[in-house]
Amino acid sequence: MGQPIPTITKNLLIINGLFFLASIVFQSKGIDLSVILGAFYPGSPNFESWQIVTHMFMHASYPEISHILFNMFALWSFGSTVESTIGQKNFFKLYLFAGFGGFFLFNLVNYIEISQLQKLVEADGISLSEVYNASKLNIHRELINQTTAQVANNANAIALAQQYTTPMVGASGAIYGLLIAFAVLYPDAKLALIFFPVGVKAKYFIPILIFIELFLGVKNYDWNNVAHFAHLGGALIGFLFIRNWKKNLYRRN
């Protein structure tokens, strides 16, 4: 028989599952929970402080289930081993801090892009407050205020409003922190993908995955709506956290 799932990993799986079920229930009533619990850019009229935490438990809405399935499979696969190795308290810290790291790096990149858009909008003679007011959403993910013709007919204003009205959801930042932690703890463990069933050592597999994330994040393809810099932020925190844990472990021994 397989080993039981460690406590924190199991509880995180349950919480993520409950959030997903709640989003389905509210969606059936016309309410989009991602507006309340997803993480908007901090300068957006839709941002609330609690979203820094709650976005980690939200995932793409039903019927899109691949997002939560992949994250929960990774949480179960890697989280169980990492938690058993570093303990419940450290594992919980790692998960949260990696999630925070994903949020902050993603929005640091957003800040650079949005600042450029704001300058372009002002250069076009449109007030930033006009775009801000036109970006307020209600719980049904509908605009509260009527969009002015100036904003509606300006490509830069539309792009800025889209930044204000698009939330980040998912546990991927935290998950990438776990992936990196696993690779540092067990560098010679062999990993494989369904479409690439050949086992590759974690110390090679995970860096390749990170390079792909960096490449896609920098290229910022229109067809790709994945928050790659959130993944990278989580990975960075995961690496720093587990390296510090190992250093302190050796000191104690």
Side-chain angles (χ1 to χ4, degrees):
M1 294 181 67
Q3 294 293 322
I5 302 174
T7 301
I8 302 300
T9 300
K10 179 173 64 177
N11 287 334
L12 288 171
L13 288 167
I14 292 171
I15 292 170
N16 276 279
L18 290 175
F19 268 66
F20 188 68
L21 289 175
S23 68
I24 295 174
V25 172
F26 279 90
Q27 184 179 344
S28 68
K29 300 179 183 299
I31 298 173
D32 189 340
L33 276 188
S34 68
V35 175
I36 305 170
L37 304 178
F40 289 90
Y41 175 69
S44 164
N46 304 300
F47 174 74
E48 300 290 351
S49 58
W50 63 74
Q51 296 170 356
I52 299 174
V53 176
T54 56
H55 84 276
M56 287 186 258
F57 304 102
M58 292 294 296
H59 287 84
S61 301
Y62 181 84
E64 175 54 65
I65 63 172
S66 60
H67 188 203
I68 188 171
L69 287 180
F70 173 82
N71 279 346
M72 294 306 99
F73 177 75
L75 174 57
W76 168 71
S77 300
F78 297 98
S80 296
T81 301
V82 174
E83 182 180 349
S84 298
T85 303
I86 68 176
Q88 294 181 9
K89 185 176 179 180
N90 283 317
F91 179 76
F92 186 61
K93 287 181 181 178
L94 167 62
Y95 189 90
L96 284 182
F97 291 165
F100 295 152
F103 172 85
F104 286 112
L105 183 59
F106 176 74
N107 281 292
L108 176 60
V109 174
N110 269 359
Y111 171 77
I112 297 171
E113 295 179 356
I114 288 174
S115 294
Q116 293 173 341
L117 277 174
Q118 288 175 333
K119 291 177 182 178
L120 291 173
V121 168
E122 287 185 312
D124 290 336
I126 300 174
S127 168
L128 293 181
S129 61
E130 194 174 339
V131 181
Y132 184 90
N133 290 329
S135 303
K136 293 180 181 179
L137 298 172
N138 61 23
I139 59 174
H140 305 291
R141 204 180 175 82
E142 299 167 340
L143 294 174
I144 294 176
N145 301 318
Q146 186 174 358
T147 304
T148 64
Q150 253 195 324
V151 171
N153 295 319
N154 183 277
N156 292 321
I158 292 172
L160 180 57
Q162 187 173 20
Q163 291 278 11
Y164 287 157
T165 56
T166 304
M168 177 178 70
V169 295
S172 298
I175 296 301
Y176 269 74
L178 300 184
L179 291 177
I180 289 293
F182 181 90
V184 174
L185 291 169
Y186 302 101
D188 294 323
K190 289 191 174 181
L191 306 175
L193 295 173
I194 295 175
F195 54 83
F196 187 74
V198 179
V200 179
K201 289 185 178 181
K203 62 184 176 183
Y204 305 126
F205 185 94
I206 300 301
I208 291 172
L209 188 62
I210 295 302
F211 175 79
I212 293 172
E213 289 290 338
L214 180 59
F215 175 81
L216 291 174
V218 170
K219 286 297 184 180
N220 195 23
Y221 291 112
D222 291 338
W223 52 264
N224 188 269
N225 65 346
V226 177
H228 295 288
F229 284 102
H231 299 176
L232 293 171
L236 175 61
I237 295 300
F239 176 77
L240 295 175
F241 185 97
I242 211 68
R243 283 292 297 270
N244 183 66
W245 178 84
K246 289 185 71 175
K247 186 185 299 182
N248 289 334
L249 179 67
Y250 295 143
R251 285 175 180 172
R252 288 195 295 271
N253 291 338

